[in-house]
Amino acid sequence: MDAGRHPLIDVVTNAEVIGCSGEPGAFRVRVRKNPRYVREDLCVACGLCVDACPQVGGNEFDVGLKARKAIHRPFPQSVPAAYAVDRDACLNLLGFLSEKQRKRLEKMRKVKQRKQGDYRAAPILVCGHCSDACDVDAIDFDMRPEEFEVDAGAILVAVGFREFDARKLGNYGYGRFPDVVTSLELERMLNASGVTQGHVIRPSDRKTPERIVFVQCVGARGEGGRGYCSRFCCMNAVKDSMLVRQHDPEVQDITILYTDLRAFGKGFDDFVKRSHDEQSARYVRGRPAKIEHVAETGTLEVFVENTLAHEQTRIEADMVVLSVAAAPNDGAAELAETLGIELDRYGFIARKDPAVSAVETSRDGVYVAGSAVGPQVIPDCVSQASAAAARAQRYLTGHRFEEEAVPVEPMDLSGPPRVGVLVCHCGVNIAGVLDVEELAAYAGTLPDVAVAQTHLFACSSTGQDELVELIRDHGVNRIVVAACTPRTHEPIFKETCARIGFNPYLLEMVNIRDQCSWVHAKHAVEAQTKARALIRMGIAKARHLSPLHEGEVPMTRSALIVGGGIAGIAAATDLAVQGLPVTLVEKTDRLGGRLAQPNLKLLYPTMRSAQEVLDEKIKRLKKSGARILLNTEVEGVTGFVGNFEAKLAGAVDERLAVGAIILAFGADLYEPGTEYGYRNRDNVVTSEELERAFFGDADTVDIEAFCARPDGAEPKSASFILCVGSRDPEGFSGCSRYCCPTAIKQAMELCRRGIDTTVFYRDIRTISTGAEEMYREARGMGVLFVRIPPGDKPEIVGKKRAEGVRCYDDLLGREIEVPTDLIVLSVGMKPRQPATDSFHDMLKASVDLSGYFLERHPELAPVETAVEGVFLAGTVQGPKDIVDTVAQASAAAAKASVLLAFDKVKLDPMIAGVSREQCRACGACVDICPFHAPELVEENGVVAARINGSLCKGCGTCGSWCPSGAITCEHFTDRQVHAMIDAFFEPEPCSDVRVAVEGQVVT
Amino acid sequence: MSATRSGNSRPARKKAVPTAKGAAPTWNPNLVVFACNWCSYAGADTAGVSRIQHQPYFRLIRVMCSGRIQPGFVLRAFEKGADGVLVSGCHFGDCHYVNGNERAVEQFKKTMDVVKLLGIDEGRLRLEWISAAEGARFAQVINEFTDQVRALGPSPLSNGRQAADVPAVKGVAIDG
């Protein structure tokens, strides 16, 4: 919705890229826009055509669970809102043809299309119901594919994925048994406004299934020729099982068949724990051999070996949900060919080196984001999208958006309120249920209403003209538009007002379509009464509206990056290449953080040298022109967005003014202390120490340093213990994400050197690109993997030095002891201290329960904090690996650059304000505001709260909490809300409106 | 193809003017619904887009965040004669303003205390979380709450006023 409305974003739907030439900074992209047979500029999305359409077709949005008309809106919130004609269903586009004829016609069309680049639709309209029904003549069957060229500095590929076709796995019976459904089909059922309104039904008899089985990894992790892990399915199954339980208590039993539970994200493990606590599902480790249909009972039978209970079982189920993996999207290969970029072995878009940049493809100037590169979870997709935007910006400098100056003389709107009312028919959307003329007439009788008119489509250009006329000719100083929802259409009316100098905050919208005529269609009388009341309330509020003016504060167009690790380097580079002044502050005497030697040797999964990657990144940083301050610390920060002042100490001593701050100081590694005898046994080391040992002699691992054997012989075996300091109910309950693949990488390295290696794990979470394949390779090499039950910890045998590991092997079902010469503890991450605490104090950015900085919203704003102008890059926000860190750092840079693009910060005037006279300085507002906008300020000896307009987001919570009523929440003031409440209960002034208003109403 | 109609002079459809006929015995409550801009108001819109029908006896007042809904708003609604008040916002963890809905809960508890103190049945005041996608849930909550308040009868503070807003017509109960 935001993208559709953005003045600088053109959304071209139904389109494909058919050619691309040029070079980074000056691409020419050829686009073919296929016809939707509905003119986007005319369609008002009223839906009349749908009612008229006689033809029903398939519905890909509801994955075939529901039929839809040939003319349709793809889904309720689609952008553009215009309807579209389904070429495979519309009679005009198919004619009355048999299946065979249709196929031949399709073939002919394709041939023609190839030859001529376009073709005509069927020349004679066999059906005209939709165009007859359309009030605005938006339907046009003469539309042809249009081709045009777009100049582009950079290209961003975000084609997503499609779900794996479960039909390919015949043993699961998808497509043969109706009650075997995919996770996407279940998702549509669970959607409250979806096909079954949130009820889970069994497709075969539409009854609620009592027993549901989820099958994980369908088409992933080795099945169906795909080696990768699909990342999102585990959590999706856990979430769905909980939702099903909440919606339908009739569902008795849910079983999830899994291999490893990959709850790797922030808070994911806690979510799984909740599922265990609530017993929403039974977890069985195993992958079914087959699913059979039992004809007698009409149910399904899942044949599976429970690998933890060591038994082959048959689970009876009423419905089976296949958690299908992500597969490369249709057309991705063609697009890659057109754009000249490479694909990986599965057909996803390949990246040059994800550790250097998570979004660069094999061609300069072409970037990729989201699941086009392989399965991703939403927060990572959003980070990558911002990262791709940041990288693309380097080719767009010079094309920056200059705000058009609108030299409009503000109108004089003073004096007592004179309200102008415009009531919209919206075709028959409103007028089909409500008597619109009567509403206008009624509005005309209400106090302070100067004029009330109606219009067929108030949002159309003629409607906007009428609004202008209304303001100019009738001298009104308040406007009430009774039409649809302000959430979509208020900006249109506001812009029109602003264009002629009418303060747009003197406009109030009344929603008589979405929340009245559409939902009370069967009860016209009550709906009419409701509409009258809503209009009465809207007018009452409008009478109390006051003009508001957008404020602005200056923006210091420069950024401070705290931390010189890989995250800080990536963020600083992306900002500096755009020509913005960037200062990177590093506490130590070198850049690189954990990547720098002697900390890290090889990066998984590419096995590139960490130093090489780092050198490349540092080279880019130095070239970008960023100012790098080593041996420097940030001692204090004051100020707010656009106007921060940081006190730097160390190599330089200065006060630095910046507009935005990116926190990228990383995380610490967990210290095991005496756990597993780390302190008192020489041959127990951490994964970091082992990594350092790899920097010894190239051929032999220098593990003697840790584990001199008493008999002087070469060490023969090594053991890895995973989840040390992670997934610990008493410590950090989350997953550290990086340790599984790192341990596998190190185990393979030891294995290659002839050392028997065993990895003790709870769940192997190889979720990043290439990691699952590495896991498979490690098993093939002979690395032993021993699964231990989640609650257990392995025991170390041996007094002075570790001689073996004793534990319960979950898969063998018995206690085992593995002799070992070396124990490697794969330590997790923990928030870096005292940096986290001190920046938390200085910036007031919140931290979460595990002590990491809290993002503003996990999906919508993964790199932003609640404090405007402060962004998060890398592990300050939570554990992640290098690929994800680099993506997030670029995302933070992109978000910061949006702010820094302007020399002023515009302030929304719909915010809170304090009356100093009424404030008694209790500080309640200061305590509750998550954005730290209010502060207590002493002025002329009087202490009172003051709200910083650049921090206030306008939620109004402080206004509700202020005990003395000193806080006003603009546009939603107490007076305005009270006026609405009062207006609701005012008796209608006249029982017969029509008589009373004769002569007053202008229509 | 239909003829193009332009301008604003579409003939009025003569229907739905409240008249005195059809008086039905069922009493219908007057309900005030407070909704936050980002979730519940959007949820009500989604109900509209999906044409999910529900009972029409509520009037919705939009605020930016459920945290804005102070006890005074609710009490004023009861004072003026509301038979029921519904406060709605985003689900926990979904608040557009980090934790405004948590503040809304605190405010709601305070409000509920006063409401009970005033002798108003606690069934007349309700708190619900409705997301922007939950159009069906919005409709369901409205129907449930309308039935719930209808069962309680007119509010003692409504001064015996019967459905002030439905002057002539006493509608029948509508199921969805």
Side-chain angles (χ1 to χ4, degrees):
Chain A
M1 199 77 92
D2 281 347
R5 222 160 40 208
H6 198 283
L8 291 177
I9 300 177
D10 283 333
V11 179
V12 186
T13 51
N14 262 355
E16 50 195 322
V17 172
I18 53 169
C20 172
S21 58
E23 54 187 36
F27 285 118
R28 282 191 80 73
V29 183
R30 199 157 178 79
V31 178
R32 175 161 54 226
K33 183 173 165 55
N34 292 317
R36 71 193 297 142
Y37 305 108
V38 176
R39 287 190 46 186
E40 283 166 36
D41 51 337
L42 294 180
C43 179
V44 291
C46 65
L48 288 175
C49 50
V50 177
D51 296 337
C53 179
Q55 192 65 354
V56 170
N59 177 343
E60 73 278 359
F61 181 66
D62 283 324
V63 282
L65 291 172
K66 199 176 172 184
R68 81 173 168 211
K69 293 290 185 69
I71 190 162
H72 63 276
R73 187 167 175 182
F75 53 94
Q77 283 122 334
S78 62
V79 171
Y83 282 60
V85 178
D86 187 346
R87 284 180 50 207
D88 296 325
C90 178
L91 293 171
N92 289 335
L93 302 173
L94 291 177
F96 289 106
L97 301 173
S98 69
E99 189 62 16
K100 207 172 153 193
Q101 286 169 314
R102 196 180 69 85
K103 277 191 179 147
R104 217 170 57 205
L105 184 75
E106 275 301 306
K107 206 171 157 193
M108 272 166 58
R109 275 188 177 155
K110 271 189 190 145
V111 173
K112 266 190 165 174
Q113 198 173 349
R114 218 171 14 225
K115 279 187 185 154
Q116 304 166 356
D118 76 350
Y119 60 90
R120 277 196 74 91
I124 305 158
L125 295 187
V126 291
C127 167
H129 284 94
C130 52
S131 39
D132 288 346
C134 183
D135 274 333
V136 289
D137 282 338
I139 295 168
D140 176 8
F141 280 102
D142 284 336
M143 267 191 191
R144 318 250 189 101
E146 265 173 66
E147 281 186 20
F148 55 91
E149 283 199 337
V150 179
D151 287 323
I155 298 170
L156 210 158
V157 181
V159 293
F161 68 97
R162 69 170 176 76
E163 65 279 17
F164 169 78
D165 183 4
R167 280 184 193 84
K168 288 185 185 159
L169 297 173
N171 50 341
Y172 288 167
Y174 180 72
R176 281 189 291 140
F177 312 136
D179 296 338
V180 177
V181 300
T182 65
S183 43
L184 204 67
E185 288 164 0
L186 179 72
E187 197 71 34
R188 287 311 301 155
M189 287 188 209
L190 283 173
N191 187 309
S193 46
V195 287
T196 56
Q197 263 110 52
H199 296 296
V200 179
I201 55 155
R202 210 156 74 139
S204 63
D205 56 6
R206 303 190 78 79
K207 283 190 187 142
T208 306
E210 284 179 13
R211 297 156 301 177
I212 302 177
V213 173
F214 284 79
V215 180
Q216 297 305 107
C217 305
V218 177
R221 300 192 66 190
E223 276 203 55
R226 296 192 160 74
Y228 54 82
C229 162
S230 205
R231 282 189 109 162
F232 53 73
C233 337
C234 279
M235 289 316 289
N236 198 55
V238 176
K239 178 201 76 179
D240 281 353
S241 70
M242 288 172 88
L243 282 179
V244 169
R245 276 292 168 93
Q246 279 166 15
H247 276 284
D248 287 291
E250 279 172 59
V251 178
Q252 307 283 328
D253 186 51
I254 297 179
T255 310
I256 297 179
L257 303 179
Y258 70 101
T259 313
D260 292 289
L261 259 193
R262 296 193 161 165
F264 57 87
K266 206 175 180 180
F268 287 9
D269 267 313
D270 295 330
F271 193 75
V272 173
K273 187 174 169 289
R274 220 177 95 202
S275 152
H276 279 294
D277 293 348
E278 292 175 10
Q279 298 184 327
S280 69
R282 191 160 62 97
Y283 290 85
V284 173
R285 188 176 184 278
R287 213 178 244 214
K290 61 174 177 178
I291 295 167
E292 289 283 337
H293 185 248
V294 186
E296 298 86 66
T297 53
T299 55
L300 297 162
E301 212 170 19
V302 184
F303 292 72
V304 63
E305 183 190 346
N306 183 338
T307 50
L308 298 183
H310 318 289
E311 56 179 20
Q312 301 203 349
T313 53
R314 294 175 184 196
I315 304 173
E316 267 195 64
D318 298 310
M319 185 159 105
V320 172
V321 180
L322 304 180
S323 290
V324 285
N329 211 343
D330 298 329
E334 290 84 356
L335 181 69
E337 205 189 325
T338 310
L339 295 177
I341 53 178
E342 281 165 23
L343 296 173
D344 69 9
R345 59 182 136 156
Y346 304 115
F348 289 112
I349 310 284
R351 291 175 286 184
K352 216 192 277 173
D353 182 350
V356 178
S357 166
V359 296
E360 280 180 15
T361 66
S362 55
R363 183 171 181 183
D364 278 346
V366 182
Y367 302 99
V368 62
S371 290
V373 297
Q376 307 279 350
V377 291
I378 296 172
D380 292 346
C381 283
V382 175
S383 291
Q384 279 178 14
S386 298
R391 311 288 308 180
Q393 272 167 359
R394 57 181 300 205
Y395 291 113
L396 308 179
T397 37
H399 296 274
R400 280 210 181 283
F401 169 50
E402 295 295 324
E403 257 184 288
E404 30 179 317
V406 198
V408 188
E409 187 71 18
M411 292 170 76
D412 178 19
L413 304 167
S414 55
R418 279 174 62 77
V419 186
V421 182
L422 187 61
V423 188
C424 181
H425 284 260
C426 196
V428 295
N429 277 286
I430 295 170
V433 176
L434 304 173
D435 185 338
V436 172
E437 302 299 335
E438 192 272 337
L439 289 176
Y442 170 66
T445 65
L446 295 173
D448 291 340
V449 175
V451 53
Q453 300 186 354
T454 66
H455 197 277
L456 187 53
F457 288 108
C459 60
S460 65
S461 53
T462 54
Q464 300 294 297
D465 293 345
E466 181 149 334
L467 181 67
V468 172
E469 232 171 78
L470 201 98
I471 294 169
R472 290 208 171 125
D473 297 356
H474 297 273
V476 297
N477 54 13
R478 305 283 188 281
I479 290 284
V480 171
V481 179
C484 50
T485 171
R487 295 181 61 256
T488 58
H489 282 66
E490 199 174 61
I492 299 171
F493 294 105
K494 272 186 161 176
E495 272 163 36
T496 303
C497 289
R499 212 177 56 221
I500 58 164
F502 185 92
N503 190 294
Y505 296 93
L506 294 175
L507 175 119
E508 175 70 11
M509 270 190 89
V510 178
N511 189 341
I512 57 168
R513 187 185 75 173
D514 304 48
Q515 296 183 7
C516 190
S517 68
W518 275 355
V519 290
H520 309 310
K522 292 181 201 152
H523 304 280
V525 176
E526 282 88 346
Q528 185 78 9
T529 316
K530 176 171 174 178
R532 288 155 67 114
L534 290 176
I535 291 174
R536 191 164 69 233
M537 290 158 76
I539 292 170
K541 178 174 176 183
R543 290 166 67 204
H544 293 285
L545 287 176
S546 39
L548 304 178
H549 301 278
E550 285 175 359
E552 51 187 30
V553 289
M555 162 65 74
T556 313
R557 294 185 60 190
S558 64
L560 170 70
I561 318 283
V562 186
I566 185 82
I569 294 172
T573 314
D574 279 348
L575 275 176
V577 292
Q578 295 176 44
L580 293 164
V582 173
T583 308
L584 187 152
V585 175
E586 166 59 40
K587 191 169 72 174
T588 67
D589 58 358
R590 58 171 178 76
L591 289 172
R594 259 177 221 297
L595 240 73
Q597 277 195 23
N599 290 327
L600 197 51
K601 187 175 167 80
L602 295 174
L603 301 181
Y604 69 80
T606 52
M607 295 301 169
R608 268 185 80 183
S609 142
Q611 192 58 44
E612 199 183 301
V613 170
L614 185 61
D615 287 344
E616 195 180 328
K617 299 282 306 179
I618 292 178
K619 210 172 106 193
R620 283 189 188 193
L621 172 69
K622 293 204 165 140
K623 225 174 103 185
S624 73
R627 178 179 174 218
I628 303 161
L629 297 174
L630 298 177
N631 295 316
T632 309
E633 280 193 73
V634 179
E635 273 196 342
V637 184
T638 54
F640 51 89
V641 57
N643 300 277
F644 291 109
E645 194 187 78
K647 190 174 176 307
L648 307 182
V652 291
D653 231 341
E654 65 175 57
R655 289 182 177 277
L656 183 72
V658 290
I661 297 174
I662 297 179
L663 299 180
F665 52 73
D668 282 328
L669 289 180
Y670 178 76
E671 285 149 26
T674 54
E675 231 176 302
Y676 300 107
Y678 173 68
R679 278 274 161 73
N680 37 31
R681 292 184 178 113
D682 286 344
N683 59 345
V684 179
V685 301
T686 65
S687 42
E688 194 192 23
E689 286 162 345
L690 177 70
E691 190 79 29
R692 283 186 187 158
F694 283 140
F695 286 101
D697 192 295
D699 294 319
T700 55
V701 178
D702 188 19
I703 54 176
E704 275 84 4
F706 312 121
C707 54
R709 273 176 71 108
D711 56 4
E714 290 265 305
K716 284 201 190 70
S717 55
S719 299
F720 286 79
I721 297 174
L722 290 178
C723 300
V724 178
S726 312
R727 302 183 63 190
D728 182 351
E730 274 131 51
F732 173 51
S733 62
C735 168
S736 285
R737 285 176 87 153
Y738 87 100
C739 354
C740 280
T742 302
I744 293 170
K745 175 195 79 178
Q746 292 177 339
M748 284 166 77
E749 193 67 29
L750 290 177
C751 203
R752 267 188 216 113
R753 294 161 197 243
I755 294 171
D756 294 337
T757 316
T758 313
V759 177
F760 296 88
Y761 72 98
R762 293 191 232 172
D763 291 287
I764 290 287
R765 292 180 171 172
T766 41
I767 37 121
S768 48
T769 314
E772 179 69 23
E773 291 85 339
M774 196 171 76
Y775 174 39
R776 189 166 287 267
E777 196 188 331
R779 297 188 86 117
M781 277 172 78
V783 178
L784 273 179
F785 287 85
V786 175
R787 185 186 155 98
I788 48 176
D792 283 15
K793 277 185 179 177
E795 217 176 290
I796 309 294
V797 184
K799 285 215 171 102
K800 283 197 173 148
R801 58 189 295 280
E803 283 158 11
V805 179
R806 192 186 298 140
C807 71
Y808 179 82
D809 185 327
D810 221 352
L811 299 180
L812 287 178
R814 63 182 173 84
E815 190 114 323
I816 58 163
E817 196 180 311
V818 181
T820 187
D821 295 322
L822 173 69
I823 286 176
V824 184
L825 305 178
S826 286
V827 286
M829 292 187 190
K830 63 171 191 182
R832 172 154 291 181
Q833 293 298 6
T836 304
D837 277 351
S838 75
F839 277 94
H840 167 61
D841 285 348
M842 288 189 279
L843 295 168
K844 311 281 191 317
S846 337
V847 292
D848 63 20
L849 289 175
S850 27
Y852 290 100
F853 277 106
L854 184 66
E855 65 279 10
R856 193 161 68 76
H857 190 285
E859 275 110 27
L860 301 176
V863 297
E864 296 162 65
T865 64
V867 182
E868 192 145 359
V870 177
F871 305 93
L872 305 173
T875 49
V876 287
Q877 180 259 347
K880 50 183 69 67
D881 66 8
I882 289 163
V883 174
D884 292 336
T885 294
V886 171
Q888 213 200 12
S890 293
K895 287 288 170 193
S897 72
V898 172
L899 271 181
L900 301 176
F902 303 102
D903 50 14
K904 284 178 187 124
V905 198
K906 273 258 164 72
L907 303 181
D908 191 332
M910 282 170 22
I911 54 171
V914 183
S915 150
R916 286 186 63 83
E917 290 71 33
Q918 278 169 276
C919 178
R920 58 182 199 211
C922 67
C925 51
V926 180
D927 293 341
I928 61 154
C929 179
F931 309 103
H932 308 284
E935 54 188 337
L936 293 179
V937 181
E938 192 180 327
E939 219 172 86
N940 305 329
V942 181
V943 181
R946 187 167 67 194
I947 288 171
N948 186 334
S950 54
L951 297 177
C952 179
K953 304 263 186 223
C955 66
T957 305
C958 56
S960 123
W961 278 68
C962 178
S964 44
I967 297 182
T968 316
C969 307
E970 291 299 353
H971 215 69
F972 295 92
T973 63
D974 288 5
R975 255 178 103 181
Q976 288 161 6
V977 176
H978 286 168
M980 289 180 86
I981 298 170
D982 296 354
F984 177 6
F985 295 100
E986 267 160 27
E988 296 210 345
C990 180
S991 57
D992 191 352
V993 175
R994 287 186 173 277
V995 179
V997 297
E998 208 68 65
Q1000 277 186 36
V1001 183
V1002 188
T1003 46
Chain B
M1 295 245 173
S2 64
T4 309
R5 296 189 192 97
S6 59
N8 59 343
S9 56
R10 189 185 175 103
R13 294 187 181 216
K14 294 236 165 101
K15 59 154 108 168
V17 182
T19 57
K21 65 176 178 181
T26 315
W27 171 83
N28 290 309
N30 284 318
L31 306 176
V32 176
V33 177
F34 292 100
C36 78
N37 181 60
W38 306 98
C39 294
S40 5
Y41 190 90
D45 282 348
T46 306
V49 173
S50 311
R51 310 293 201 277
I52 303 167
Q53 304 295 307
H54 45 274
Q55 301 193 47
Y57 307 109
F58 68 100
R59 313 288 178 250
L60 197 145
I61 294 176
R62 177 173 72 115
V63 289
M64 291 313 279
C65 178
S66 53
R68 172 77 183 101
I69 303 160
Q70 60 200 32
F73 291 172
V74 177
L75 296 175
R76 185 151 185 134
F78 279 123
E79 182 198 336
K80 293 290 168 181
D83 300 305
V85 178
L86 176 70
V87 174
S88 60
C90 310
H91 289 278
F92 272 20
D94 233 11
C95 178
H96 193 80
Y97 303 103
V98 184
N99 61 357
N101 48 2
E102 292 167 30
R103 301 295 178 194
V105 177
E106 294 171 50
Q107 292 286 44
F108 183 82
K109 283 182 184 153
K110 285 187 228 161
T111 316
M112 186 58 105
D113 289 344
V114 181
V115 163
K116 282 197 261 183
L117 201 68
L118 289 170
I120 300 171
D121 194 296
E122 56 188 291
R124 297 185 188 277
L125 179 58
R126 188 159 160 175
L127 177 68
E128 286 288 347
W129 309 130
I130 299 162
S131 83
E134 293 176 327
R137 202 179 121 71
F138 180 84
Q140 186 200 339
V141 166
I142 291 294
N143 282 337
E144 272 177 27
F145 188 56
T146 311
D147 293 342
Q148 178 184 328
V149 177
R150 187 183 286 116
L152 290 170
S155 156
L157 295 181
S158 68
N159 285 333
R161 188 213 313 258
Q162 283 230 331
D165 204 42
V166 191
V169 186
K170 300 289 175 284
V172 288
I174 298 164
D175 300 312

